[in-house]
Amino acid sequence: YQLIRRLVFSTLSVLYTTAGFAQIHSNPNVLVIHTDEHNFRTLGCYRDCLAREQAFPWGPEAKVETPNIDFLAKQGVLFTRCYATTPVSTPSRGSFLTGMYPQNANVLTNDMVLSDKTHTYAEVLRSQGYVTGYVGKLHLNGKGRPEWHPGRDFGFTDNRFMYNRGHWKKIENTDTGPQFKMKDAVETSDSLTFTTDYLTNRTIDFIKEHKDSSFCFMLSLPDPHSANQVRSPYNEMYRGMHFNRPASAAKDTTGLPAWAYGNSKMEDMSQYFGMVKCIDDNIGRILNTLRESNLLDNTIIVFTSDHGDLCGEHGLINKSVPMDASARVPFIVYYPSKIKPGTRVDNVVSVADFTPSLLSFCAIPTSKCYDGRDVSSLWKGENLPAKYQDIVFMRGTSNVLKSDWEESESLPKSVWVAAVTP
């Protein structure tokens, strides 16, 4: 009798443990790959959606192949019209992580501190049992530079390789943690120390370490933001490619506002293309790690950026203006269990829509109110909910501190405000 009892108890224990394990790991992993200042026309999956003159602004032969990012788009959903809430880093990143507009998250312009009254998507997932981690640029904790592993983790428990802001090309491990190397950084960096590679390696380490848990991880790459520099061999891959000045730089600007045109010198596009190629190759390494760990089909992968880069369009470089190349960002979601391969969405969406949409898509309850919309139906290839208009809003950066903003009614509230429709 005692032997039978022990066998029954052991069997029930195994069944209970197995059921509990299945329940814990039934939640999909969440992996966000976030780039910085990324012109969407450099990605093959976006060029395929555009007329030729729009797809190749630097000339018919000027293109970089991005097979791994294209894979995510072809096997997932590609949003052709996703926009930053403000086309600079801090406001856009704050909106992406919290679902709030910049003015409601205390991030009106760069180098401001994200309001502690907001909650990031990672904080919500962590409360649901997810293991959370973050590597790369944050730019939500004020002026600290680089400020490795800030005191506030923003919902990402493992933030050892999170830094606040800055753009350098080489990272090395030291006894006190990771450190950027300044002198001859690009010339002496390699596949272990170049920033994109280094941060990817830490991502792969995290995935392997937590492959038996439900994890939420964000890889925030500081490239292809200027300065346009990349390690060997990527620095030579596009050196012989001819880059035209975009046709929009020569258009008649009569009657346009001053921010809508310029005469800036184009930065080195061969190095910009090299940075994009390096990013794509490293995404390929991450995808291979997920495949080898049998996690690829149970991981929601989001690829996006904080804002674009004009790269010479309209005679301008970098960002900050409500022009497509500046404010429009790539946004791709891969999750084969719920997303039909090859789904394309032409509705306009905002980076502020990400957090409420992700939580809804994962069926995670939250009592929080968001400025962004729950457009998770679009992730699944369904229609935009009838309660929403097909419109999003962008705003420029304020030139005043938040204290000045609150105390004065006469100060300008924004350089510009723009509405975007399909």
Side-chain angles (χ1 to χ4, degrees), residues 10-26:
S10 298
T11 302
L12 289 173
S13 297
V14 169
L15 290 173
Y16 178 81
T17 302
T18 303
F21 184 88
Q23 183 178 8
I24 292 173
H25 296 285
S26 62

Side-chain angles (χ1 to χ4, degrees), residues 172-221:
E172 290 183 349
N173 292 322
T174 71
D175 292 340
T176 58
Q179 297 292 331
F180 284 107
K181 297 300 178 181
M182 313 299 182
K183 187 177 180 180
D184 301 325
V186 176
E187 294 79 4
T188 60
S189 63
D190 55 25
S191 61
L192 296 178
T193 60
F194 184 67
T195 298
T196 295
D197 302 283
Y198 180 94
L199 297 174
T200 298
N201 291 338
R202 304 292 77 77
T203 300
I204 290 172
D205 291 344
F206 183 94
I207 292 171
K208 290 180 177 179
E209 181 179 354
H210 299 288
K211 64 181 180 180
D212 295 326
S213 305
S214 293
F215 63 77
C216 162
F217 191 82
M218 184 162 174
L219 166 61
S220 180
L221 296 169

Side-chain angles (χ1 to χ4, degrees), residues 256-272:
L256 294 180
W259 50 254
Y261 61 92
N263 193 30
S264 300
K265 181 181 178 181
M266 282 179 60
E267 296 180 294
D268 190 340
M269 288 301 297
S270 72
Q271 300 301 291
Y272 191 89

Side-chain angles (χ1 to χ4, degrees), residues 1 30 46 58 117 146 267 287 308 311 328 333 385 399:
Y1 171 78
V30 177
Y46 279 91
W58 309 286
K117 296 179 182 179
E267 296 180 294
L287 294 178
C311 294
R328 188 171 168 184
V333 185
N399 293 321

